[in-house]
Amino acid sequence: MTPLNVLAISGSLRRDSLNTTLLREAERLGPHHRFDHYDGLGRLPHFNEDEEHPAPSAVSDLRRRVQEADAVLIASPEYNASVPGALKNALDWLSRPAGDDGPALALKPVAVVGASPGPFGTVRAQLALRQVLHKMNARVVQQPEFLLFQAHQQFDDDGRLPEDSPAQQLLRAVLDALTQLAASERQQALTGASVH
Ligand SMILES: Cc1cc2nc3c(=O)[nH]c(=O)nc-3n(C[C@H](O)[C@H](O)[C@H](O)COP(=O)(O)O)c2cc1C
């Protein structure tokens, strides 16, 4: 089986982030996935239309990594019932075309997950994030939804979810859904290419 190249983006800049921990756990669960962990969110300049051309090097690096990935997995905290500013900033950069290329996230298979120490597991942030991704024409996994509430109590000292716990099974199911979505998008692209 050809491994799926997944760009993993955490919406948190925090060293001990629960969401980054979640992405590391996802990487361990997916033997058929090759993860590229993006850690440049904090180095992206604030989006500014005056500074799009030429693109700042941090932006070009992010675009290239999105383009090279078969799929993107975003794990984001909820800040004030919405998407953290640093992640929204990255999405605004990615919504813009670069040269002859269209926006890097357009038609890209994306899955969204999130972890919060609170009781709602990032549900409001995920809704906001899905709205942004929809506008960007990304292909977003709709089911299953993965919301990890009271997340600070869910991981062990190694950052693992309990073996075969419902949370771990659900995370695995998200990865499976992302794999299927990427396969069907690839198939559609091939079919489209042969028709035209
Ligand atoms: C500015 C700010 C706003 C927050 N707003 C929310 C919120 O609306 N909902 C929520 O569940 N947690 C909220 N939190 C708590 C975060 O869920 C918590 O800090 C979480 O650990 C952040 O994710 P991370 O561990 O991946 O960094 C907020 C935290 C900060 C710093």
Side-chain angles (χ1 to χ4, degrees):
M1 191 173 180
T2 316
L4 189 78
N5 293 309
V6 177
L7 180 66
I9 301 178
S10 171
S12 174
L13 306 181
R14 205 165 71 84
R15 199 178 318 110
D16 296 325
S17 159
L18 295 163
N19 286 280
T20 308
T21 302
L22 187 59
L23 290 173
R24 297 275 169 201
E25 172 72 345
E27 179 177 25
R28 283 186 289 250
L29 292 180
H32 304 301
H33 302 83
R34 201 163 26 209
F35 272 59
D36 172 19
H37 289 274
Y38 179 68
D39 66 355
L41 218 55
R43 293 189 293 278
L44 289 173
H46 291 164
F47 178 78
N48 180 345
E49 279 192 77
D50 293 338
E51 291 174 16
E52 283 191 89
H53 309 293
S57 60
V59 173
S60 303
D61 172 63
L62 173 59
R63 278 198 184 119
R64 179 186 53 76
R65 288 164 74 170
V66 170
Q67 280 160 353
E68 286 176 3
D70 300 313
V72 175
L73 176 62
I74 301 176
S76 181
E78 178 170 285
Y79 281 178
N80 298 307
S82 192
V83 182
L87 177 59
K88 179 62 165 53
N89 182 51
L91 295 175
D92 288 340
W93 278 113
L94 289 171
S95 71
R96 305 290 286 176
D100 292 338
D101 295 326
L105 266 183
L107 306 181
K108 186 68 70 174
V110 179
V112 171
V113 295
S116 164
F120 304 122
T122 73
V123 64
R124 295 164 298 186
Q126 288 197 33
L127 285 171
L129 187 51
R130 285 172 187 278
Q131 184 177 346
V132 174
L133 291 166
H134 176 73
K135 166 67 182 148
M136 293 170 68
N137 207 20
R139 296 289 184 256
V140 183
V141 169
Q142 300 299 338
Q143 294 289 338
E145 292 175 276
F146 183 98
L147 307 145
L148 194 64
F149 56 92
Q150 295 176 342
H152 59 303
Q153 296 172 352
Q154 308 263 9
F155 295 106
D156 68 16
D157 291 346
D158 296 324
R160 302 282 334 237
L161 293 169
E163 204 54 40
D164 278 333
S165 59
Q168 198 189 58
Q169 288 174 15
L170 197 57
L171 188 56
R172 201 175 263 123
V174 170
L175 286 172
D176 289 347
L178 185 60
T179 305
Q180 278 174 23
L181 181 61
S184 81
E185 287 297 321
R186 199 180 303 128
Q187 190 57 42
Q188 270 188 33
L190 286 174
T191 315
S194 64
V195 167
H196 296 112

